[in-house]
Amino acid sequence: MPNILLFSGNSHQDLSQKVADRLGLKLGKVVCTKFSNQETSIEIGESVRGEDVYIIQSGCGEINDNLMELLLMINACKIASSSRVTAVIPCFPYARQDKKDKSRVPISAKLVANLLSVAGADHIITMDLHASQIQGFFDIPVDNMYAEPVFLQWIQENIAEWRNCIIVSPDAGGARRVTSIADRLNVEFALIHKERKKANEVDRMVLVGDVKNRVAILVDDIADTCGTICHAADKLLSAGATKVYAILTHGIFSGPAISRINNTAFEAVVVTNTIPQDKINHCSKVQVIDISMILAETIRRTHNGESVSYLFSQVPL
């Protein structure tokens, strides 16, 4: 593909390399260092004049440092006369802070959207936004890709009893996500209503739906401390589910997450590699699905001016 350059930040080099290999490109040269006062310094190591630039940087790890790195890379390319700069953000940072749910709190996702736009981004590619209306925070095009096609493929290839399964959302916010998957598998869905005392701590759960003698598959976008999905798994088993799986897009796994998964009766916890999964060596239950082909095909189609809607329902070959 002519007139295209692919750069990677430091947040997820492995995913960036897989995307580059899939496209038959080499990652562009970029030097990212820190001054002694911890300011981030960026130097793009090749000409971007007139090029269609894609910068891959996920919102994970040292999130604030990685976000600043992305902003500086976008700005460096923009003021070096690139024709278009696209930020490829597999896991969008601050996506859970998307509304003002109490007094005197910021809408941080909107602030991040403003920062990306002011830095010079012309286009955003991301995956499974926590709330799809975050796309409306931008005045530039946003392609919110879905992990749903690879989830469906994994379910049909790895769960023998998938025709007798029930898709479960661990909270009301994910209802639309699970109904879409349940419709495509032609199975039923259930919902768990949760009440929180405070952030990252669930008070009580109420199951809506019949899971007795069925394989329950929990589907969610983010697994952080895993308190919700582990509580939900216990609730499903006590309600008569024969097996419980969890399928999640962004496996953050912070704090006690891995130990909670190990102590819960999951058959498997499946996540994508939008975030580096270095911790899975400590947990045999966690499996990782590669989504680099979806990002690579989205980049290829965007660069060539083709539609990306095919990727909402199909896994690229």
Side-chain angles (χ1 to χ4, degrees):
M1 294 188 292
N3 302 110
I4 182 171
L5 281 173
L6 198 63
F7 292 102
S8 173
N10 287 322
S11 68
H12 201 346
Q13 291 272 355
D14 179 58
L15 178 63
S16 302
Q17 190 59 58
K18 285 179 178 175
V19 171
D21 292 344
R22 175 96 183 180
L23 291 170
L25 300 171
K26 287 185 177 179
L27 288 174
K29 296 173 186 173
V30 56
V31 178
C32 175
T33 54
K34 283 195 175 184
F35 295 121
S36 58
N37 67 350
Q38 297 304 298
E39 286 182 3
T40 302
S41 168
I42 292 290
E43 184 181 348
I44 305 296
E46 52 195 274
S47 173
V48 298
R49 186 176 295 273
E51 301 285 352
D52 191 5
V53 174
Y54 293 82
I55 301 169
I56 304 174
Q57 180 83 314
S58 199
C60 58
E62 298 291 335
I63 289 180
N64 296 331
D65 283 351
N66 289 333
L67 176 59
M68 196 68 204
E69 195 177 287
L70 173 61
L71 296 171
L72 292 172
M73 288 175 73
I74 291 169
N75 193 245
C77 292
K78 197 66 183 176
I79 63 177
S81 301
S82 59
S83 67
R84 179 174 64 171
V85 180
T86 300
V88 182
I89 313 171
C91 181
F92 193 84
Y94 291 91
R96 285 177 286 182
Q97 298 182 47
D98 62 326
K99 57 187 176 292
K100 189 171 180 179
D101 52 2
K102 49 190 160 186
S103 299
R104 298 178 297 280
V105 296
I107 305 175
S108 307
K110 168 64 174 169
L111 177 60
V112 172
N114 288 344
L115 289 168
L116 289 164
S117 297
V118 170
D122 300 296
H123 180 208
I124 305 293
I125 296 172
T126 187
M127 179 162 276
D128 275 357
L129 281 171
H130 184 63
S132 58
Q133 55 266 35
I134 290 173
Q135 294 171 88
F137 293 172
F138 290 88
D139 293 322
I140 57 176
V142 178
D143 284 318
N144 181 30
M145 309 310 295
Y146 300 112
E148 181 182 305
V150 292
F151 287 173
L152 290 165
Q153 187 179 67
W154 189 92
I155 290 169
Q156 291 171 326
E157 290 177 358
N158 294 276
I159 302 177
E161 318 96 305
W162 66 266
R163 288 180 178 82
N164 186 40
C165 74
I166 184 163
I167 312 297
V168 185
S169 173
D171 57 37
R176 187 174 178 183
R177 188 179 298 108
V178 299
T179 52
S180 175
I181 292 175
D183 287 347
R184 291 190 62 189
L185 290 173
N186 196 25
V187 298
E188 293 183 18
F189 73 93
L191 182 70
I192 292 175
H193 172 66
K194 65 183 178 185
E195 295 176 1
R196 291 186 186 274
K197 280 184 178 176
K198 55 186 178 182
N200 287 338
E201 190 175 311
V202 177
D203 183 21
R204 72 187 192 100
M205 290 185 153
V206 179
L207 174 64
V208 181
D210 182 17
V211 300
K212 191 167 186 179
N213 298 325
R214 293 185 183 180
V215 175
I217 303 174
L218 282 161
V219 177
D220 207 357
D221 62 331
I222 295 173
D224 190 351
T225 58
C226 291
T228 298
I229 63 163
C230 290
H231 273 102
D234 292 337
K235 186 79 179 175
L236 292 167
L237 289 167
S238 65
T242 55
K243 295 178 182 176
V244 179
Y245 293 83
I247 301 184
L248 316 146
T249 307
H250 310 296
I252 299 171
F253 298 145
S254 61
I258 295 297
S259 63
R260 282 176 172 169
I261 290 171
N262 282 328
N263 294 327
T264 305
F266 284 113
E267 295 295 315
V269 175
V270 180
V271 296
T272 72
N273 61 341
T274 56
I275 292 172
Q277 295 301 334
D278 307 325
K279 300 174 185 175
I280 62 169
N281 296 331
H282 305 293
C283 185
S284 59
K285 293 180 182 179
V286 178
Q287 299 182 30
V288 181
I289 304 175
D290 181 25
I291 47 84
S292 62
M293 66 284 195
I294 294 176
L295 295 177
E297 184 64 9
T298 305
I299 290 171
R300 189 194 69 77
R301 285 170 178 255
T302 302
H303 177 66
N304 292 333
E306 300 171 20
S307 170
V308 300
S309 57
Y310 170 83
L311 302 173
F312 296 159
S313 58
Q314 303 292 328
V315 179
L317 298 173

